Amino acid sequence: LGTGARGSDIKVAENAQCDETLLGHILKIETKISESGLLLQSIKSYSKGHRNPQGLKIIADRLLSVEHGPRHGDEVNQIKLNGNYGWPKFSHGIPYDTDIAVKTFRNVGQYISPIFHFTPSIGISDLAACPFTEDIIYSNCILVSSMKDASYYILKIESDKSQLNIVSAERLYLGDRIRKILSKKKYNLF
C-alpha cells in the first residue's frame, strides 16, 4: 500500500522522511488467521521518501511504483526494501511552494533515483506489464497510464540482476484521462 506526503506544508511533506509515521511510505501489510479465527495484521514501512504514489505492481519479480512529482517529475520507481526515494529533499519536479526547497536528483548516495521520470508531468496514474506478444519490439515492456496527458506509454525495459532500466518510451494518445491500466493477457518478461 502506498501513502502520500504531498502538499505545500513542509511539515506534512517531511513525514515522508520520518520513521515514526507511515505518511510518504510504501507499506507491507501481512495478515494471517490465528488458531482462534482472528485476523492478525502487521503493518511495516517497506520504503520511504514518497510524495504521492499511485500505481503499485509486482512485475518481473520486482516491486514497481508510479508517483506524482510536484509540477513535473512524475516517476517510475523500482521499490527496494528500506529504500529512501528522497521526497521532499530531492525530486525531478519543481516545488509548488517555495517554502519546500526541493533539489534535483544527482544520484545522492542516500536516495534512490527513479528508473524513469516524465518532465513535463503526464499526471501518471498506473502501470502494468505489457501483454505477451511475439513481436520482439513489444516484449520486455511495461505500460504506464496518464490522466493529464490522456495517453498511455510503452516503456521498453532492460534488466540486469537487480535493476530494471528504461531504454525507450513510446506515447500512445487516447484523448481521455486514464486512471487505471490492466493487462489481461499473459506476459513474458525476461
Side-chain angles (χ1 to χ4, degrees), residues 114-185:
I115 60 174
F116 192 80
H117 68 90
F118 291 91
T119 302
S121 173
I122 63 169
I124 203 162
S125 58
D126 200 15
L127 75 158
C130 288
F132 177 73
T133 176
E134 298 296 328
D135 186 344
I136 192 71
I137 294 171
Y138 293 108
S139 62
N140 295 333
C141 63
I142 57 176
L143 303 171
V144 172
S145 57
S146 74
M147 295 177 291
K148 176 181 168 190
D149 193 48
S151 302
Y152 72 93
Y153 290 78
I154 299 171
L155 302 181
K156 182 85 167 146
I157 54 179
E158 290 179 348
S159 175
D160 61 28
K161 291 181 181 177
S162 64
Q163 183 70 30
L164 295 178
N165 299 301
I166 306 298
V167 294
S168 68
E170 180 180 349
R171 178 181 182 241
L172 297 158
Y173 179 73
L174 294 178
D176 285 314
R177 294 167 57 93
I178 305 165
R179 171 70 65 180
K180 195 91 176 132
I181 191 162
L182 301 173
S183 175
K184 293 193 176 201
K185 294 183 180 179

Side-chain angles (χ1 to χ4, degrees), residues 2 10 27 38 67 74 77 102 123 126 128 141 170 172:
I10 189 64
L27 308 176
L38 296 173
E67 182 172 335
D74 287 353
N77 289 302
V102 178
D126 200 15
C141 63
E170 180 180 349
L172 297 158

Side-chain angles (χ1 to χ4, degrees), residues 84-124:
N84 185 339
Y85 292 81
W87 179 254
K89 304 297 182 190
F90 292 88
S91 173
H92 285 286
I94 301 166
Y96 288 106
D97 185 329
T98 55
D99 291 343
I100 299 178
V102 178
K103 297 178 183 176
T104 301
F105 273 108
R106 288 194 171 72
N107 292 326
V108 177
Q110 70 192 59
Y111 304 116
I112 299 171
S113 293
I115 60 174
F116 192 80
H117 68 90
F118 291 91
T119 302
S121 173
I122 63 169
I124 203 162

Side-chain angles (χ1 to χ4, degrees), residues 16-32:
Q17 292 296 320
C18 182
D19 292 327
E20 288 74 42
T21 178
L22 297 177
L23 294 174
H25 290 239
I26 298 221
L27 308 176
K28 181 177 182 179
I29 302 172
E30 295 179 339
T31 60
K32 65 180 182 177

